[in-house]
Amino acid sequence: REQVTSQKQFNSTNMIQASSWCFNKNINLEEALGWAQKAISGFQGQKSFPSMRNLAVGYEKLNQLQQADSVMNEALTLANPNQYTGYARALITAKRFDKALEVMQASQKKNGDVFPVNNGLMYAYSSKLDFKDALKHAKKAFAQAPNEAAKKQIESFITKLKDGKDINQQ
């Protein structure tokens, strides 16, 4: 609180860090939401994917999914392919499988046929138990993998998908 009520409050990074800390600890959620809003629209606020994602997390924590989705729709206009995939994975964790697939399909339209997109589509289709399409994107992601560790992981996912198993389940 001291950091966001002192002169340091004018630093949007401090607002994001303070609100994120509260969201992660599930404490002072209403107050933290205000800090997240100030990080975007307050003095020297910044609209960026990380600041808007943080605000959306606050809305999610307060079970205000419509506001969270609205913020994220705007945030995705600023997102890179990896940020799309990270957000889709968070949606899968929240069991919002249709929304995760919608996000990844939008990423595909915006970013094309690149590794993070195919990787994300693999997870999204698998979450919906559409193993055929998940496998198709897994094979593309395998071919585009940036390193051997990624190839190894995707190879194990391909095996799971061929066995009709959701890769999102441990």
Side-chain angles (χ1 to χ4, degrees):
R1 247 186 221 120
E2 184 180 318
Q3 285 190 3
V4 295
T5 57
S6 68
Q7 285 187 338
K8 293 180 182 180
Q9 74 175 328
F10 299 114
N11 180 334
S12 65
T13 302
N14 287 345
M15 295 293 217
I16 293 168
Q17 288 175 341
S19 58
S20 178
W21 187 85
C22 289
F23 298 148
N24 288 334
K25 301 282 185 186
N26 282 317
I27 58 171
N28 301 331
L29 297 178
E30 292 283 346
E31 185 176 27
L33 183 66
W35 297 338
Q37 291 166 333
K38 281 184 185 176
I40 292 171
S41 60
F43 178 72
Q44 293 185 346
Q46 57 180 341
K47 269 191 180 182
S48 65
F49 181 84
S51 65
M52 296 182 79
R53 177 67 186 126
N54 183 59
L55 177 59
V57 167
Y59 283 126
E60 290 165 5
K61 291 285 185 173
L62 292 166
N63 204 28
Q64 298 175 12
L65 294 182
Q66 190 172 5
Q67 291 92 327
D69 287 347
S70 177
V71 169
M72 284 310 300
N73 286 341
E74 185 176 352
L76 288 171
T77 66
L78 306 171
N80 65 42
N82 289 321
Q83 290 167 326
Y84 268 92
T85 300
Y87 176 50
R89 298 279 313 270
L91 290 167
I92 291 168
T93 299
K95 304 210 181 310
R96 297 184 67 198
F97 308 128
D98 290 335
K99 184 71 175 170
L101 182 56
E102 178 187 314
V103 165
M104 287 314 306
Q105 288 170 332
S107 180
Q108 186 178 38
K109 271 188 182 164
K110 180 181 176 184
N111 300 299
D113 191 35
V114 295
F115 174 75
V117 171
N118 285 311
N119 192 48
L121 283 166
M122 171 186 67
Y123 284 105
Y125 279 114
S126 181
S127 75
K128 295 185 58 59
L129 307 180
D130 180 348
F131 302 123
K132 179 183 171 196
D133 281 330
L135 189 57
K136 177 178 90 174
H137 289 285
K139 289 177 180 177
K140 286 182 179 184
F142 180 82
Q144 299 166 327
N147 55 51
E148 283 305 311
K151 282 188 180 220
K152 259 187 147 171
Q153 184 180 39
I154 294 168
E155 195 170 43
S156 72
F157 290 157
I158 288 172
T159 301
K160 278 182 111 174
L161 291 168
K162 284 181 178 177
D163 290 341
K165 295 179 182 168
D166 182 6
I167 62 171
N168 298 291
Q169 303 297 316
Q170 299 301 342

